[in-house]
Amino acid sequence: MRNVIILGSGCAGNTAAIYTGRAGLNPLVVIGHEPGGQLSLTTEVENFPGFPEGINGPDLVANMQKQAERFGAEYVFGTVTEADLSKRPFRLNIDGEWQECQTLIIASGASARWLGLPNEQKLIGHGVSSCATCDGAFYRDRKIMVIGGGDTAMEEANFLTRFGREVTLVHRRDEFRASKIMLERARANPKIQFLLNTVVEDIYDVTQKTVTGVKLRDVKTNRVWDQEVDGFFLAIGHVPNTKPFVGQIDLDPDGYIVSKGGARTNIHGVFHAGDVQDRTYRQAITAAGAGCMAAIEAERLLGEGH
Ligand code: NAP
């Protein structure tokens, strides 16, 4: 029986582990299907306080884990497939093995969203990717396309110009969610072309088992055309990782945990931290802050003997 189990090893989970570890609660951190969370898929992080020159995302998150381990946090590879939160101790099925805990911190984050095109899933790893940092280097001197109009799309498009001959950014509107600074940076990059008011209708070519091009449609004129592409990168946001908790924890219509104030969920003893609940800020620093809040709430609850 654990005092606290933390689900997720991103900024939120690691910070919760540092705090609960330091409070002597010997937390167990379940690493999840994306070790290190979203920071492990980024390059340079320029806005995490304390690093005036910026810091490499994977290094930042690895440092956090080291810091938590120093205070006795234990990390295990695995994902939760099933949970029983009907009473305490809570029970979690971690890759077939049930574990019990007094308090639970859900910091399982959110995973990349896909367009849902029939050929998309078949071509993942064969030209379709949701991670520019992971796969960009495969497209040296090739034609790259990035889908999305948020900060991620701008960041990835910029990053991919290091490799690609040209980068086309396709966005379904002509307004952007991206922050001004990120948008301006992408606009100023001569290797990036913008295709606005445009959607992807199909990805070719499953028979060749590699991406060769896409079918595009201008949503204003309905013009449809094919364009040659070698690397197809999705940057269209994320879906919260809350599947094992459906029907137990209050979730909003998109699956994000509904906060009951602070880090509290509708279940006494279950706390949320990071992108699994936060659909507004979604920053490394806010996730870290949320991990701290969840840890303090768990510590207080255990300290009060509830
Ligand atoms: P986001 O801000 O939610 O943007 C998602 C983009 O994908 C939007 O432009 C959206 O279009 C588009 N989209 C969504 N579903 C689509 C679909 N089915 N087909 C076509 N387009 C679709 O997500 P994000 O860019 O991943 O950013 C998430 C958060 O992380 C934000 O808070 C962002 O500021 C932050 N972030 C910060 C940095 C940084 O500061 N270094 C870097 C990356 C991310 P619509 O606009 O039309 O809805």
Side-chain angles (χ1 to χ4, degrees), residues 46-85:
E46 292 177 331
N47 49 13
F48 200 91
F51 300 94
E53 309 303 327
I55 181 167
N56 178 272
D59 288 349
L60 177 59
V61 85
N63 285 347
M64 289 183 190
Q65 176 170 343
K66 248 186 255 163
Q67 195 172 344
E69 284 171 335
R70 199 181 122 210
F71 295 117
E74 196 184 322
Y75 284 70
V76 287
F77 283 102
T79 40
V80 170
T81 52
E82 222 180 321
D84 178 5
L85 309 180

Side-chain angles (χ1 to χ4, degrees), residues 221-249:
T221 61
N222 262 333
R223 181 172 80 93
V224 173
W225 74 102
D226 287 345
Q227 190 158 319
E228 269 181 36
V229 172
D230 304 301
F232 183 84
F233 288 83
L234 274 312
I236 59 168
H238 291 82
V239 181
N241 295 314
T242 49
K243 212 166 155 206
F245 310 113
V246 173
Q248 303 190 69
I249 292 184

Side-chain angles (χ1 to χ4, degrees), residues 3-261:
N3 290 313
V4 56
I5 291 183
I6 298 165
L7 306 183
S9 53
C11 276
N14 282 321
T15 306
I18 292 168
Y19 273 76
T20 50
R22 212 162 160 266
L25 297 175
N26 304 109
L28 178 73
V29 182
V30 183
I31 289 173
H33 67 279
E34 281 173 21
Q38 290 180 59
L39 271 194
S40 64
L41 306 178
T42 58
T43 44
E44 201 67 4
V45 180
E46 292 177 331
N47 49 13
F48 200 91
F51 300 94
E53 309 303 327
I55 181 167
N56 178 272
D59 288 349
L60 177 59
V61 85
N63 285 347
M64 289 183 190
Q65 176 170 343
K66 248 186 255 163
Q67 195 172 344
E69 284 171 335
R70 199 181 122 210
F71 295 117
E74 196 184 322
Y75 284 70
V76 287
F77 283 102
T79 40
V80 170
T81 52
E82 222 180 321
D84 178 5
L85 309 180
S86 58
K87 57 180 184 309
R88 285 168 74 203
F90 305 123
R91 296 178 70 240
L92 300 169
N93 185 337
I94 303 165
D95 291 339
E97 197 178 308
W98 287 92
Q99 293 260 13
E100 291 186 341
C101 57
Q102 285 295 349
T103 61
L104 174 64
I105 295 176
I106 303 175
S108 47
S111 296
R113 178 181 284 136
W114 302 95
L115 287 172
L117 296 168
N119 288 341
E120 186 180 45
Q121 296 297 312
K122 294 178 195 154
L123 289 168
I124 290 175
H126 302 279
V128 172
S129 169
S130 68
C131 176
T133 349
C134 318
D135 300 326
F138 298 126
Y139 300 97
R140 258 175 228 285
D141 264 337
R142 312 292 291 276
K143 291 182 178 164
I144 296 176
M145 185 167 277
V146 176
I147 316 301
D151 280 337
T152 305
M154 301 308 136
E155 187 174 72
E156 303 220 328
N158 262 317
F159 174 73
L160 288 165
T161 58
R162 291 189 201 177
F163 308 105
R165 189 187 333 154
E166 58 182 49
V167 174
T168 307
L169 187 131
V170 175
H171 179 35
R172 62 184 176 184
R173 297 191 292 152
D174 53 10
E175 281 168 29
F176 294 88
R177 276 177 210 273
S179 55
K180 197 163 171 273
I181 182 170
M182 305 284 276
L183 178 60
E184 292 309 319
R185 223 177 262 173
R187 279 204 165 123
N189 189 324
K191 274 178 139 185
I192 300 177
Q193 287 108 47
F194 283 73
L195 263 183
L196 305 182
N197 299 312
T198 301
V199 292
V200 181
E201 302 245 289
D202 202 358
I203 311 171
Y204 312 121
D205 180 5
V206 169
T207 50
Q208 291 187 52
K209 287 203 175 122
T210 187
V211 170
T212 58
V214 290
K215 183 202 258 186
L216 299 169
R217 180 167 62 85
D218 183 315
V219 292
K220 293 231 156 133
T221 61
N222 262 333
R223 181 172 80 93
V224 173
W225 74 102
D226 287 345
Q227 190 158 319
E228 269 181 36
V229 172
D230 304 301
F232 183 84
F233 288 83
L234 274 312
I236 59 168
H238 291 82
V239 181
N241 295 314
T242 49
K243 212 166 155 206
F245 310 113
V246 173
Q248 303 190 69
I249 292 184
D250 285 355
L251 305 175
D252 75 9
D254 294 327
Y256 286 87
I257 294 178
V258 176
S259 182
K260 302 290 173 174

